[in-house]
Amino acid sequence: MLDTFLTTLHPGLTAGATAGLLLLSLLGSFVSAAFGAGGGALLLVGMTLWLPITAAIPLHGVIQLGSNAGRMGVMLPHVQWPLFGAFAVGAVIGVVAGSQLLVELPEGWVEALLGAFILYSLWGRMPLPPRGNRGITVAVGAVTNALTLLVGATGPLVAAYFRTLHLHRLRHVATFSACMMLQHSLKIAAFGALGFAFGDYVVFLAVMIGVGFIGTLLGRATVQRLNDQLFRQILRILLTLLSLRLLINGLAGAL
């Protein structure tokens, strides 16, 4: 009975693959709730084990949209609307430009680009633009929204910029969540315009989001009992291995 249910969720996958994706949603949300970062990247690169990159990125966007919308909803009074507005202007520009790049790039190059981007976010130094004025915020919105169509997980870049603004913690989390919610919404709209059939995945996505919520509750409940340093090291190694696989497979398919 369980196998039948899992196969029904995503007819194109085996029951084992669907179970693996649900486990990843649980683990990714657990990681984000317990350690504040890393869960979204883990979910995205893990999804590429069973899904083509052209499906993993838009589906990941829907799941992350649900997560960020929830955080924004409970912290709405703390959103800094002028900052959000400047980011939104850039976001619209960036998603239009990114859509053109996505059409031109072969799937193998997109896969390799995602692997390289995650590796850089793990081992490189995140660029820190000068502390904000509206022009810089517009530029950050444009660049990260163009990239999100290609690599999916540009949250670390946006977070790196927001840290330079030295916002109060509540304002930081609320405004960041609002910007990421917009980014994922535009990404979903762009993939929809390019013909991705989100309707085929409605039940699958609903269950993924529901399982992810359970992971969030578990992460919050156990955050004080975990060895933060050891877990982060394990997560970094796991993400590195998955990203190397993406990079090698993408280059092999593109060359």
Side-chain angles (χ1 to χ4, degrees), residues 117-137:
F117 181 82
I118 298 294
L119 284 171
Y120 181 80
S121 71
L122 290 170
W123 300 100
R125 217 175 146 183
M126 278 295 173
L128 295 178
R131 187 172 172 178
N133 59 45
R134 275 193 191 172
I136 292 171
T137 304

Side-chain angles (χ1 to χ4, degrees), residues 27-194:
L27 183 59
S29 294
F30 176 88
V31 168
S32 290
F35 302 104
L42 177 63
L43 176 60
L44 178 56
V45 296
M47 287 174 74
T48 63
L49 294 172
W50 294 288
L51 295 169
I53 190 72
T54 49
I57 290 179
L59 293 178
H60 176 266
V62 176
I63 296 167
Q64 292 300 101
L65 172 62
S67 176
N68 283 284
R71 278 195 298 274
M72 178 194 169
V74 299
M75 305 183 78
L76 193 61
H78 301 284
V79 175
Q80 300 300 286
W81 294 111
L83 178 59
F84 173 81
F87 184 90
V89 170
V92 173
I93 297 170
V95 81
V96 172
S99 297
Q100 302 305 311
L101 289 173
L102 187 63
V103 170
E104 298 294 331
L105 278 178
E107 184 174 332
W109 283 115
V110 175
E111 193 172 7
L113 185 60
L114 172 58
F117 181 82
I118 298 294
L119 284 171
Y120 181 80
S121 71
L122 290 170
W123 300 100
R125 217 175 146 183
M126 278 295 173
L128 295 178
R131 187 172 172 178
N133 59 45
R134 275 193 191 172
I136 292 171
T137 304
V138 170
V140 169
V143 171
T144 58
N145 277 270
L147 282 174
T148 196
L149 294 174
L150 305 174
V151 301
T154 56
L157 284 174
V158 180
Y161 172 63
F162 270 45
R163 281 195 292 273
T164 70
L165 305 180
H166 304 298
L167 298 173
H168 181 275
R169 184 174 180 274
L170 290 176
R171 292 176 178 176
H172 175 105
V173 173
T175 310
F176 174 76
S177 297
C179 290
M180 295 309 295
M181 187 190 76
L182 174 66
Q183 186 177 94
H184 289 301
S185 297
L186 290 173
K187 176 166 61 178
I188 291 166
F191 274 100
L194 291 171

Side-chain angles (χ1 to χ4, degrees), residues 22 24-30 33 63 66-67 70-71 74 205-221:
L22 293 174
L24 270 173
S25 183
L26 181 79
L27 183 59
S29 294
F30 176 88
I63 296 167
S67 176
R71 278 195 298 274
V74 299
L205 288 168
V207 176
M208 287 282 282
I209 292 171
V211 169
F213 181 69
I214 296 172
T216 296
L217 297 178
L218 291 174
R220 288 181 178 174

